[in-house]
Amino acid sequence: QVQLVESGGDSVQTGGSLRLSCEASRSLFSISDMGWFRQTPGNQRELVASITKGGITNYADSAKGRFFISRDNAKNTVYLQMNSLKPEDTAVYYCNAETIFSNYWGKGTLVTVSA
């Protein structure tokens, strides 16, 4: 089992920045990949960014150049630095952890970007 707790969601204006945090209940070394997804009402959850145990990152086209995912293994925490935010980035952001046994999700944190 892995519990994930997200934090850092807030309301910001266009062009602003936020850093989301996701703290895992156990060592990141036991987790294969970690990622951030987002979801808006009526739409499917979509990948924003992911990072492997080895530190290889992957980004959605909409996030490239603006968002940056990182992990602090000592703190069991994954971060999503979001810059140059746009109204279309408004969503609930979810943290995801993938192990060889299962897939785990946090409860989400709301990001609202106003024009």
Side-chain angles (χ1 to χ4, degrees):
Q1 285 279 357
V2 181
Q3 281 77 48
L4 303 171
V5 178
E6 303 101 333
S7 61
D10 205 345
S11 296
V12 297
Q13 292 187 330
T14 296
S17 297
L18 284 174
R19 189 177 79 158
L20 305 183
S21 300
C22 171
E23 184 174 359
S25 60
R26 69 185 212 201
S27 171
L28 298 186
F29 290 113
S30 66
I31 300 172
S32 300
D33 295 345
M34 292 200 69
W36 285 97
F37 289 70
R38 67 187 182 188
Q39 188 171 24
T40 54
N43 293 309
Q44 289 190 332
R45 201 168 291 188
E46 63 177 10
L47 174 70
V48 177
S50 64
I51 186 167
T52 68
K53 186 186 301 187
I56 297 173
T57 57
N58 180 50
Y59 295 93
D61 287 343
S62 60
K64 287 178 181 176
R66 299 189 301 127
F67 294 3
F68 301 94
I69 189 170
S70 61
R71 58 196 291 164
D72 185 335
N73 293 329
K75 295 183 178 179
N76 296 341
T77 300
V78 174
Y79 303 98
L80 184 68
Q81 177 67 42
M82 304 189 295
N83 302 321
S84 301
L85 283 162
K86 305 174 182 179
E88 50 264 44
D89 295 318
T90 295
V92 178
Y93 284 71
Y94 295 90
C95 182
N96 172 266
E98 184 176 320
T99 71
I100 59 174
F101 299 110
S102 192
N103 216 8
Y104 301 93
W105 294 94
K107 294 182 178 180
T109 186
L110 177 63
V111 172
T112 303
V113 185
S114 58

